[in-house]
Amino acid sequence: IRISNEVWFRLGDMTLAEHSAILGMIFSPNNRSSRMIKRMAEINLIKGDEQAAHKFLKILLQTRFHRKWAERHMPGNDGNLSDEWLEQNRANISQTDIIRTANDYPTALRQLIHSNPSNLKAIDYLLCYSLLNKDIPAFVDDYRRYALIHPEITCRLYSEALMIYLFINKATLEELREYRIDPRIISEFT
């Protein structure tokens, strides 16, 4: 629970990051966690909700370890908060909002990718999620949709999963070429 907010924050889903941070506070000793409050402040700064960010930063001003950080990030303190940091984190956030359950990870990841097709972290997490759940058809579908346009996503693990899928479905050599699988992996597989 305490680390999932970090994952969703890095991927750009501020709603799930906020949900995880709140759960992290609930399950902390005495329901207190300055780290989770710091994350709530960051989330609200990125979302542009300065009032909510101010509320969390005021709490952090009372702490020994986060006081200086809170002063630097307080809305209205010009020049202290990096515009580059804000823009970098805002680039990955979803531009649309849908109703979904908190554990519908494929939908959350696809929404992030739809909002920002160059969010390679979200693509990677989506592909790995499908493989971990042994959902090869979903993996292949997402690979076709998202990873083929990003050659840097291709890795040995994905190539091997594609080879298994293509072998089971008796793919032709032309179909095999579409996936740009390293010839060494094809040779090892055969």
Side-chain angles (χ1 to χ4, degrees):
I1 289 173
R2 293 177 58 79
I3 199 67
S4 63
N5 78 79
E6 183 70 25
V7 172
W8 289 113
F9 183 80
R10 298 287 174 210
L11 290 173
D13 193 322
M14 295 302 133
T15 303
L16 286 177
E18 189 171 37
H19 177 259
S20 296
I22 290 169
L23 288 177
M25 280 192 280
I26 290 170
F27 293 109
S28 296
N30 300 319
N31 299 80
R32 295 184 184 140
S33 171
S34 61
R35 179 64 193 110
M36 295 301 113
I37 291 175
K38 181 180 175 188
R39 177 49 42 95
M40 293 294 288
E42 290 172 326
I43 289 167
N44 285 294
L45 286 168
I46 290 168
K47 291 190 329 186
D49 189 346
E50 289 187 4
Q51 284 184 320
H54 190 265
K55 175 180 79 171
F56 292 113
L57 291 169
K58 278 180 61 175
I59 295 169
L60 291 173
L61 286 172
Q62 307 305 312
T63 66
R64 180 179 300 187
F65 299 110
H66 299 292
R67 179 180 298 128
K68 288 183 181 176
W69 184 90
E71 289 171 354
R72 284 194 312 269
H73 289 78
M74 191 64 72
N77 289 354
D78 293 333
N80 288 333
L81 184 60
S82 168
D83 288 336
E84 181 181 328
W85 180 83
L86 279 174
E87 292 308 313
Q88 182 181 7
N89 284 293
R90 285 179 179 159
N92 284 334
I93 63 174
S94 183
Q95 303 302 316
T96 60
D97 201 11
I98 61 169
I99 296 175
R100 65 178 190 274
T101 60
N103 62 354
D104 186 1
Y105 306 122
T107 300
L109 292 166
R110 286 183 187 109
Q111 183 181 0
L112 288 170
I113 297 165
H114 183 69
S115 292
N116 181 5
S118 62
N119 189 341
L120 300 181
K121 291 178 201 170
I123 295 170
D124 204 28
Y125 267 80
L126 178 62
L127 295 173
C128 287
Y129 182 84
S130 295
L131 289 177
L132 285 170
N133 285 297
K134 299 176 184 167
D135 189 353
I136 301 300
F139 165 79
V140 172
D141 186 45
D142 290 329
Y143 190 90
R144 285 180 187 147
R145 189 177 307 143
Y146 306 118
L148 280 178
I149 59 173
H150 296 287
E152 61 273 23
I153 290 284
T154 303
C155 69
R156 182 175 188 86
L157 174 70
Y158 298 158
S159 296
E160 289 174 354
L162 286 168
M163 288 297 300
I164 292 168
Y165 175 81
L166 293 168
F167 178 77
I168 289 170
N169 290 307
K170 298 176 180 29
T172 65
L173 205 51
E174 289 176 17
E175 290 173 305
L176 186 61
R177 285 190 189 115
E178 290 176 25
Y179 291 98
R180 298 185 304 250
I181 298 173
D182 185 343
R184 290 176 293 184
I185 295 172
I186 295 171
S187 176
E188 290 172 9
F189 184 82
T190 55

